[in-house]
Amino acid sequence: MPLLCLDVGSTWTKGALVAADGTLLGTAQHATTPPEVLDGVAAVTTALAATDADVLACSSAGGGLRLAVVGQERLVSAEAGYRVALSAGAKVVHVSSGDLDGAGLRELRADRPDVILLVGGTDGGDQRVLLHNARRLGANRVAVPIVLAGNIEARDEALGLLAGRKVVATDNVLPDVGELAPGPARSAIRSVFLSHVIGGKGLSRGPRFRNLVRTVTPDAVLTGVSRLAGVLARDEEEGAVLVVDVGGATTDVYSAVSTVDGERATTVALPADRRTVEGDIGMRWSAPGIVAEAVAERLIAAPEDLAAAAKRRAEDVDFIPTTADESEVDIKLASFAAILAVRRHLRLVEGNLGPKGAGLLVLSGGVFRHASPAALVQVEETLRADPILRPVLKSARVVVDRSYVLAPAGLLADAGHGDVADRLLERSL
């Protein structure tokens, strides 16, 4: 029986119908339909004639997963929590370190997180800050769910201080100095997202949608990127996998180095597969941010024409190019977005993509999927010419995720269909 993989986003609901042998049978999309997103799901299902298919779904509708990190030291436990949150597909909207006070609690509330990741201390190390912050969060009746992933020896006391709150306790994200353990916290964040967050977004009137969704979309994509890295390693292709997904509001970058040797040690070890999200860089809502950052990074001088075009796109987020000149502006903005987002990603991971750099660069997002071959050549040349990206991309093969298969591959792998996911990636990318 085929498998229907759904991604319910804030703007579009996308579907991919995949056969048991990994063949992509078809794709479809429909505008997402809040306050009843199942209407859009039904439209995609009908378009693919997939009413009898097994359904796997992820979602970033309603703004996705907004997560706050409350930690101990900014450069150690809070940084560890931040990196775990990014790997879990969350948009990190708040990071604090040290003792929470009244001002810190007000800032936390103002950032409107869906989930709080509470961390602090290595196992057997300091407990004071973690317990202080648990006490403040418990006493101030912070309403959002909390994932407790700090010093394991302080867990029971912290749970007592958080009595009455929605809390999921899991293993420490930083069991020892320099040792990052993202897996348990990532699973707990996913569990909280599914049980407490997705149903509270006002996206559907009943429990069916909440029961369909397995994970937040960026988490599914990261799993797909990790599977792709494994496929390339099996086929003896060298280098890391780098994915740039340029959207209307954000630009996400994923890198997978789990199959690459030669990583350097860092103060807080990086997860092998990573994601960063740039909330000020996007093709529509955040188009002015592309121009402003491109000027700040000295990619371009202050271009009045490009700034005006970006402003128009932000004011009309449904804008679709109808002329060659408008399409050229979109390609220029997308190229700058990709360069800027990858530069930021490389800074976070300290340029650490392994000794070979990227072996495969995947361009994702509607602007790339609908671009002409000549426009894509222009994008590739622009990226390869950037002085910071040049050494990273020197050996990279560049492909476009035209059928949007990374999220479906992640869903398939998470559901125990790893072989199907791998064959889908082989055939599509």
Side-chain angles (χ1 to χ4, degrees):
M1 181 173 292
L3 295 148
L4 175 60
C5 301
L6 296 168
D7 171 16
V8 182
S10 294
T11 306
W12 293 99
T13 295
K14 298 179 280 288
L17 189 64
V18 183
D21 65 354
T23 301
L24 183 63
L25 300 175
T27 61
Q29 68 178 30
H30 189 278
T32 299
T33 55
E36 185 47 80
V37 297
L38 289 176
D39 293 341
V41 168
V44 169
T45 304
T46 299
L48 291 171
T51 53
D52 294 330
D54 289 337
V55 178
L56 308 172
C58 57
S59 178
S60 59
L65 172 58
R66 298 170 58 86
L67 192 140
V69 178
V70 176
Q72 186 163 327
E73 310 93 352
R74 181 63 185 90
L75 293 178
V76 184
S77 67
E79 179 67 15
Y82 174 74
R83 294 181 175 190
V84 168
L86 287 175
S87 75
K91 180 178 181 180
V92 180
V93 297
H94 178 95
V95 178
S96 66
S97 57
D99 292 354
L100 271 177
D101 55 16
L105 284 165
R106 288 191 292 273
E107 291 175 6
L108 177 62
R109 289 196 187 93
D111 288 331
R112 300 180 294 105
D114 296 316
V115 179
I116 296 171
L117 177 61
L118 177 58
V119 298
T122 56
D123 288 342
D126 181 69
Q127 302 182 20
R128 188 195 64 79
V129 176
L130 176 64
L131 294 176
H132 170 89
N133 291 340
R135 184 178 295 108
R136 292 303 300 264
L137 291 171
N140 285 271
R141 305 187 70 80
V142 174
V144 301
I146 297 170
V147 171
L148 174 62
N151 185 341
I152 198 73
E153 294 187 5
R155 175 192 290 177
D156 291 344
E157 187 173 351
L159 285 172
L161 294 168
L162 293 166
R165 308 280 72 77
K166 298 172 182 174
V167 183
V168 176
T170 189
D171 293 346
N172 195 350
V173 299
L174 194 68
D176 202 352
V177 176
E179 179 186 347
L180 186 66
R186 181 179 173 184
S187 297
I189 291 168
R190 176 189 292 195
S191 171
V192 170
F193 172 74
L194 296 178
S195 59
H196 298 297
V197 177
I198 194 69
K201 296 273 188 179
L203 301 172
S204 183
R205 288 183 284 273
R208 180 168 172 255
F209 176 64
R210 184 175 67 245
N211 293 336
L212 278 178
V213 175
R214 292 172 171 263
T215 188
V216 62
T217 300
D219 194 13
V221 174
L222 186 60
T223 301
V225 173
S226 184
R227 297 296 304 197
L228 179 58
V231 169
L232 292 177
R234 186 189 63 204
D235 293 342
E236 298 184 352
E237 291 197 41
E238 296 184 338
V241 172
L242 187 65
V243 177
V244 185
D245 185 0
V246 179
T250 67
T251 297
D252 291 7
V253 180
Y254 303 81
S255 60
V257 298
S258 50
T259 59
V260 176
D261 294 328
E263 284 199 273
R264 292 184 290 107
T266 58
T267 302
V268 177
L270 290 158
D273 303 320
R274 311 101 176 225
R275 165 186 175 258
T276 50
V277 56
E278 308 305 335
D280 61 334
I281 298 174
M283 293 298 297
R284 294 297 179 261
W285 288 269
S286 307
I290 297 175
V291 179
E293 188 66 7
V295 172
E297 292 268 334
R298 299 182 180 180
L299 294 177
I300 49 175
E304 293 183 2
D305 290 348
L306 190 60
K311 181 180 178 183
R312 177 186 175 190
R313 284 156 173 76
E315 292 172 346
D316 178 12
V317 296
D318 295 322
F319 173 83
I320 297 175
T322 57
T323 68
D325 287 345
E326 290 173 345
S327 295
E328 186 175 344
V329 169
D330 261 14
I331 288 297
K332 187 176 293 186
L333 288 170
S335 299
F336 287 145
I339 290 171
L340 294 166
V342 173
R343 281 185 174 191
R344 290 182 182 179
H345 185 86
L346 292 174
R347 288 171 192 145
L348 178 69
V349 305
E350 301 175 1
N352 191 9
L353 295 184
K356 301 288 186 180
L360 180 69
L361 171 64
V362 181
L363 301 176
S364 185
V367 64
F368 297 130
R369 283 195 291 276
H370 299 127
S372 67
L376 290 173
V377 169
Q378 178 185 334
V379 171
E380 181 174 346
E381 290 176 348
T382 302
L383 267 62
R384 290 191 188 277
D386 182 74
I388 295 176
L389 272 57
R390 188 184 300 129
V392 173
L393 300 180
K394 62 183 178 182
S395 303
R397 183 163 54 90
V398 180
V399 298
V400 177
D401 185 8
R402 290 197 176 277
S403 299
Y404 190 73
V405 297
L406 286 169
L411 284 169
L412 289 164
D414 276 346
H417 302 290
D419 290 344
V420 180
D422 292 349
R423 288 194 291 269
L424 173 66
L425 292 167
E426 284 177 336
R427 292 171 176 175
S428 301
L429 293 177

